Amino acid sequence: MFEMGFSSLQAFTSVACKASFAVSVALNQNDADSLVAKTRNIGIIAHIDAGKTTTTERMLYYGGYTRRIGDVDDGSTVTDFLPAERARGITIQSAAITFRWPPSSPDQKGGHSPESYTINIIDTPGHADFTFEVVRSLRILDGAVCILDGVAGVEAQTEKVWYQARNYQIPKIIFVNKLDRDGAAFGKTVKEIAAKLHAWPAVCQIPWFEDASGRFQGVVDIINMRALQWPNGGDGKSVRSYGMAELENIDSKLANEARKARAALVELLSGHDDLMVEKFLEADEDHLSVSAADITASLRRSLLTSDSTIVPVFAGASFRNIGVQPLIDVVTALLPNPTEAPDPEISAGPVSGRLGQLMSGKLDILPGEQKSKKAAAKKPSGPLVKNIEACALAFKVVNDAKRGLLVYVRVYQGALTKTSIVWNTNLQTSERMPRLLKMYANDAVETDSIPAGQIGVITGLKHARTGDTLITYTGTNPKTGPPAPLNQLQLRPIDVPPPVFFASIEPQSLGEEKPVAEALALLLREDPSLQISTDEDSGQTHLSGMGELHLEIARDRLIQDLKAKATMGKIEIGYRETITTPADPVAAIYDRETSGKASKAGCLASVSPLQDPPSNPASHPSETTSTLHRDGNLITTTILATASPTLETSSLNLPTDLPATTIHTSLQNGALAALSRGPKYAYPLHSTSVHLTLDPPVNIFPPHTTPAALSSAARLAVSKALRKSSTASPTALMEPVMNVLLSVDEASLGAVVHDISSSRGGQILSLDDADATTPDNLSGSGSGSLPGLSVTREDVRLIDTRMVYAPPDPFAAPSVEGGGELDLREGNRNRVVTARVPLKEMVGYLKVLRSCTGGRGTFVMSVDRFERMGSQREKALVRKLRGI
């Protein structure tokens, strides 16, 4: 049995079978077109524990890829191959695999039917911490199967990945899984699809339960109007089919419900597809007379229409081996092939459009001056475009222990060829591709080219990162690349969400700093959703990511795989001190011998609390006065004008070797040094105004006064003034406060607001309706609205669940079945909470937010300012500092 993960991803190849993988790629055009038409590149997306990996295992088994069914609990699945995945029983990184459907028959002797499809399937993580793995998988997919838990319904992560897929215009079908479990409610889940995912569910199957025991035994196919029954305890390969007449004798109530479902399906499609209206009229307005082929064609047209909101819904129980084979059938029948997928978005300088438009000459990308020279040409950019040999997107970088860095690419145009030079339009650099690989399970097969629509691996690239666009161009200059603006041609990049969980990472010794830094750089190249920053106050290196589990996995990879000697701990908050009362001017004289030379200088310093720091800090030097706003403090230096005939002086009576600008700078540097350490808690000072006065005849002692002596004198004077102020009134502590934007659903709003304002000492600034009605992938930062929310109210229309057909749930609670329709429209409305919260309270807040919102809440934050701590919070911090 072959195994494969996203870290060793096989290309979506043109193989006929595993034994003959390394066949020649010199296919004629008809064969190539037929191969692409019979290819499906799909992803499995869902909330954690909805059954994605279990469903994938059944697909591989029925497709003949494996000889036994793997189990998640036993750690024997094909796609969950990492030790951490098998230990935790969850998918951590996306894993891909290829199989054929229908599988070969015994008399074909290992071959495959010309009518069989190549299905390239990616099993994605369901945990919210690994959202980026889902995003970059969706970026290169053509279709998706969204799996729902029939008991839990539409869950939090399902909503997120659904709208991520919608953002990339990926056609989707839904498989309601786990209908064998107690409490499963197919009808309720269908209603939730409309209410929470804002899609019209086209019910294509309804579940079939035994009347006596309530055991889930099969489904009724509404498209073909037949019942499918699986025997209890089998491997699922044996399926019995019943016509409607037979089903009427077995379960007349179910047969009647199937006819209702067929009528609802045809009515729904007629409301969105004009051709279905014609077919319905041709069938004399008889819902049952509309052919299965017409319904399938209508469903496919609806899926491939970008603005359609219809989603086909199917039923099953993967763990009991029920409903998986029909699901594979609809994958091949409904989801698009690579040529039917949306044309990739591109940009070339200021011009944006579609790749197909560019290659056909319909997108003019030439600058204005070149455009005027070729105004007579119908396709002015044609001569440039025709030299593009290939255009590909790098979507994954993996450090393989045996093969080094592997860059996984999806080719969208032309073909990448071995040893050719590829131009990275993001980094504006060129590299030669020494080897091209097609990965199949854990084996790598070298190939001469990777054609359009396929996925492969480039080895030996030193610079390529996730999201980079790579092109090969005839006659390109390796140093300057293709002619402008093609040297800036970029496919739509992969959005990286902002980090929301933080930890410190420290080398075990000074000698390990460089190896740890190199390992971290490699880790970040593999996973761009990780970020590294250095805290200037504590000197700590902060590693941030999408959640606690995400950082745990990153730590294990850093230490175990990359062999970095480092430890991970909590981040240290950079607090500040501030004075509470002004201090009268204090004089100080610095008089010491440094390196055998006498140094002497003096100055006068006074300090006072700074109530309102300037919003636009800047230095305004002049001959006599200079101001500097730095790190929340205001430093003002003044040189007193005087006339002294005994010195060779300027207009300010300064020595010629000490111009005014040098004196101002030296005094400011000394003040900054004194402000870096508070008089009581040794934290840097903040919100403090310092006024330094220099009287040249009194404070300058030629030739012993130097810039270094002036800085030392200023540091002494400011330190004395700070101690004097602290003695009169103790200093206060300040803490960093974050500007936080939270996206939460209406039902969780009260709990989140109470937690922020009461438990965390935060201040609620506003409660607004979100720009989007659904939680989406947050990327970037901003204020006033949550960035990255691309699904707006104009894009998403609320659906009245009373208009949605859903079969009754035979074992549902009376309150659900008899209490009317599930109207979740208002409860699902998203709200944006703007708040200011201390940074200390935001460390580890992600887990609390997920708990309060059932996993639906998201947030972004940025540093706002430092504020004085409340008395209770300050006392708690002081006790902690003193070890009490």
Side-chain angles (χ1 to χ4, degrees):
M1 180 179 65
F2 293 85
E3 293 185 357
M4 171 189 179
F6 214 153
S7 59
S8 57
L9 178 66
Q10 94 281 2
F12 294 157
T13 62
S14 58
V15 295
C17 61
K18 289 180 269 186
S20 60
F21 177 83
V23 296
S24 171
V25 296
L27 300 174
N28 61 47
Q29 189 61 42
N30 290 335
D31 291 338
D33 293 343
S34 176
L35 177 65
V36 172
K38 294 288 184 179
T39 299
R40 298 292 183 269
N41 302 327
I42 67 168
I44 307 294
I45 60 175
H47 189 88
I48 189 172
D49 201 33
K52 298 180 301 298
T53 302
T54 301
T55 303
T56 303
E57 281 295 314
R58 271 62 182 176
M59 289 182 171
L60 298 180
Y61 177 69
Y62 300 135
Y65 183 87
T66 59
R67 296 185 178 181
R68 64 178 181 84
I69 300 176
D71 189 271
V72 174
D73 296 330
D74 297 338
S76 57
T77 59
V78 173
T79 53
D80 286 351
F81 70 96
L82 292 178
E85 291 177 319
R86 295 185 170 179
R88 290 177 168 86
I90 62 172
T91 301
I92 292 174
Q93 65 178 10
S94 297
I97 209 73
T98 297
F99 68 96
R100 306 278 293 196
W101 186 261
S104 59
S105 58
D107 58 350
Q108 288 178 298
K109 298 181 180 180
H112 289 282
S113 167
E115 299 302 318
S116 65
Y117 290 78
T118 298
I119 300 179
N120 307 296
I121 187 169
I122 293 182
D123 178 24
T124 64
H127 198 286
D129 284 13
F130 306 106
T131 296
F132 182 67
E133 279 291 326
V134 182
V135 170
R136 62 175 162 189
S137 299
L138 293 173
R139 176 62 182 83
I140 51 93
L141 291 174
D142 302 324
V145 177
C146 180
I147 298 182
L148 302 182
D149 186 331
V151 179
V154 178
E155 298 175 272
Q157 187 65 8
T158 302
E159 296 178 43
K160 294 179 183 179
V161 298
W162 180 270
Y163 286 98
Q164 287 163 359
R166 189 180 189 275
N167 191 33
Y168 287 116
Q169 297 182 336
I170 295 177
K172 303 168 288 293
I173 61 177
I174 288 179
F175 180 65
V176 180
N177 192 27
K178 299 188 178 182
L179 293 177
D180 59 312
R181 291 194 171 186
D182 292 339
F186 180 79
K188 174 177 176 290
T189 303
V190 169
K191 294 286 187 179
E192 289 188 357
I193 292 171
K196 296 183 178 181
L197 302 183
H198 305 285
W200 285 98
V203 178
C204 299
Q205 292 176 351
I206 59 175
W208 182 6
F209 298 94
E210 285 186 359
D211 287 336
S213 62
R215 182 182 70 87
F216 179 56
Q217 60 180 349
V219 298
V220 179
D221 183 352
I222 304 304
I223 298 176
N224 297 286
M225 292 306 288
R226 61 178 180 174
L228 302 175
Q229 185 183 45
W230 280 261
N232 189 21
D235 65 355
K237 286 189 174 182
S238 176
V239 185
R240 186 171 181 179
S241 177
Y242 298 91
M244 289 306 296
E246 295 175 286
L247 182 61
E248 186 74 37
N249 296 328
I250 299 173
D251 191 336
S252 59
K253 184 177 179 181
L254 180 63
N256 186 51
E257 189 62 41
R259 285 187 283 269
K260 291 181 181 179
R262 179 61 175 270
L265 178 60
V266 173
E267 291 289 343
L268 177 62
L269 292 175
S270 298
H272 294 77
D273 180 19
D274 293 338
L275 287 178
M276 174 52 68
V277 176
E278 296 180 8
K279 297 297 182 182
F280 180 55
L281 294 176
E282 291 175 3
D284 296 329
E285 300 186 15
D286 183 2
H287 303 92
L288 298 180
S289 297
V290 180
S291 69
D294 290 337
I295 293 178
T296 301
S298 180
L299 284 169
R300 197 166 200 271
R301 284 192 299 270
S302 298
L303 277 180
L304 298 186
T305 303
S306 60
D307 59 349
S308 175
T309 56
I310 288 182
V311 54
V313 181
F314 302 88
S318 298
F319 188 74
R320 301 297 179 188
N321 308 318
I322 298 176
V324 178
Q325 296 100 318
L327 178 63
I328 308 175
D329 287 334
V330 298
V331 164
T332 60
L334 299 182
L335 292 179
N337 63 53
T339 62
E340 296 170 320
D343 195 11
E345 300 176 39
I346 63 164
S347 63
V351 181
S352 60
R354 299 282 182 173
L355 183 60
Q357 295 175 332
L358 175 67
M359 299 309 299
S360 63
K362 297 179 180 179
L363 182 65
D364 191 1
I365 60 173
L366 290 175
E369 60 271 14
Q370 296 187 30
K371 200 181 301 181
S372 61
K373 295 178 182 179
K374 302 186 178 183
K378 293 182 179 180
K379 298 180 180 180
S381 57
L384 294 177
V385 171
K386 69 178 182 180
N387 291 328
I388 296 179
E389 298 177 357
C391 181
L393 179 72
F395 68 93
K396 181 87 171 180
V397 177
V398 173
N399 182 37
D400 187 87
K402 296 180 180 179
R403 305 179 184 94
L405 280 174
L406 307 178
V407 178
Y408 289 86
V409 296
R410 161 99 187 234
V411 181
Y412 287 96
Q413 177 66 37
L416 293 176
T417 56
K418 187 172 67 173
T419 71
S420 60
I421 294 177
V422 64
W423 175 258
N424 189 322
T425 62
N426 296 73
L427 301 178
Q428 295 292 294
T429 184
S430 62
E431 298 183 79
R432 186 173 295 276
M433 301 180 291
R435 298 174 65 202
L436 299 179
L437 303 177
K438 291 184 177 181
M439 305 298 294
Y440 196 79
N442 286 333
D443 295 332
V445 178
E446 193 163 349
T447 184
D448 294 331
S449 67
I450 306 173
Q454 305 297 328
I455 290 179
V457 171
I458 306 174
T459 65
L461 297 185
K462 298 179 180 179
H463 306 292
R465 310 159 304 175
T466 296
D468 285 352
T469 299
L470 308 176
I471 65 173
T472 56
Y473 192 85
T474 303
T476 184
N477 186 324
K479 293 184 179 180
T480 60
L486 288 182
N487 61 343
Q488 302 176 24
L489 174 65
Q490 292 185 9
L491 293 161
R492 179 180 178 178
I494 300 174
D495 297 328
V496 180
V500 292
F501 203 91
F502 310 87
S504 67
I505 190 83
E506 298 293 340
Q508 295 180 357
S509 64
L510 290 176
E512 295 296 330
E513 284 188 352
K514 185 176 180 180
V516 169
E518 293 174 350
L520 285 172
L522 184 58
L523 192 65
L524 265 63
R525 189 178 177 190
E526 290 187 4
D527 187 356
S529 62
L530 293 170
Q531 293 186 16
I532 291 292
S533 60
T534 301
D535 187 88
E536 296 181 358
D537 297 329
S538 63
Q540 281 188 321
T541 299
H542 290 171
L543 179 65
S544 52
M546 302 307 300
E548 185 177 18
L549 181 59
H550 187 205
L551 293 191
E552 285 182 10
I553 299 300
R555 177 200 60 196
D556 294 343
R557 174 128 177 77
L558 186 70
I559 296 173
Q560 298 176 9
D561 297 342
L562 302 181
K563 308 301 180 183
K565 297 180 180 179
T567 56
M568 185 177 289
K570 295 182 178 180
I571 67 171
E572 294 182 5
I573 306 299
Y575 295 100
R576 296 289 188 270
E577 280 186 60
T578 185
I579 59 175
T580 57
T581 186
D584 295 332
V586 176
I589 298 292
Y590 176 81
D591 187 3
R592 291 186 183 179
E593 187 174 302
T594 304
S595 301
K597 296 182 179 180
S599 297
K600 188 175 183 180
C603 70
L604 195 69
S606 62
V607 295
S608 62
L610 184 62
Q611 300 297 335
D612 189 14
S615 57
N616 296 312
S619 179
H620 303 286
S622 66
E623 283 289 318
T624 59
T625 304
S626 176
T627 60
L628 174 67
H629 191 283
R630 180 82 55 87
D631 298 330
N633 300 306
L634 180 64
I635 302 172
T636 304
T637 56
T638 301
I639 303 175
L640 300 179
T642 183
S644 176
T646 61
L647 296 174
E648 296 180 7
T649 63
S650 63
S651 59
L652 289 178
N653 295 326
L654 301 177
T656 56
D657 59 340
L658 286 176
T661 55
T662 301
I663 293 177
H664 287 306
T665 301
S666 299
L667 294 176
Q668 290 167 356
N669 290 339
L672 289 173
L675 292 171
S676 65
R677 185 179 178 86
K680 186 174 182 180
Y681 301 108
Y683 285 116
L685 271 297
H686 193 279
S687 299
T688 300
S689 177
V690 178
H691 192 179
L692 292 166
T693 304
L694 179 78
D695 188 357
V698 178
N699 301 128
I700 295 179
F701 307 91
H704 305 305
T705 300
T706 63
L710 287 170
S711 295
S712 299
R715 179 175 57 82
L716 287 176
V718 173
S719 297
K720 286 183 178 180
L722 291 173
R723 288 194 294 269
K724 184 176 181 181
S725 172
S726 177
T727 302
S729 178
T731 60
L733 284 173
M734 304 183 74
E735 61 182 343
V737 176
M738 311 301 289
N739 183 44
V740 184
L741 292 173
L742 304 102
S743 174
V744 300
D745 58 288
E746 184 80 25
S748 307
L749 182 63
V752 171
V753 169
H754 180 269
D755 178 71
I756 289 290
S757 58
S758 299
S759 304
R760 304 187 178 275
Q763 179 184 1
I764 304 297
L765 301 180
S766 66
L767 298 174
D768 303 313
D769 287 337
D771 289 339
T773 59
T774 54
D776 192 15
N777 176 38
L778 293 171
S779 59
S781 60
S783 60
S785 64
L786 283 173
L789 290 174
S790 58
V791 183
T792 63
R793 285 188 182 275
E794 289 73 19
D795 296 323
V796 175
R797 293 182 293 271
L798 296 179
I799 294 176
D800 188 350
T801 56
R802 294 171 298 180
M803 305 298 293
V804 174
Y805 165 77
D809 295 318
F811 309 107
S815 59
V816 175
E817 189 174 3
E821 301 293 333
L822 291 172
D823 190 354
L824 304 175
R825 290 170 292 167
E826 290 302 316
N828 193 50
R829 186 175 57 153
N830 261 40
R831 302 291 296 273
V832 171
V833 181
T834 305
R836 292 171 57 244
V837 189
L839 173 59
K840 181 178 183 298
E841 302 299 334
M842 296 304 296
V843 177
Y845 176 67
L846 180 63
K847 292 188 293 184
V848 177
L849 181 62
R850 287 176 178 171
S851 176
C852 290
T853 62
R856 289 181 168 83
T858 56
F859 76 95
V860 293
M861 65 180 183
S862 59
V863 177
D864 185 14
R865 59 184 176 182
F866 281 86
E867 286 188 353
R868 285 186 59 173
M869 301 179 69
S871 58
Q872 295 298 324
R873 294 178 60 83
E874 182 172 344
K875 290 178 181 178
L877 177 60
V878 170
R879 287 195 299 268
K880 181 180 178 181
L881 294 175
R882 294 174 177 173
I884 301 177

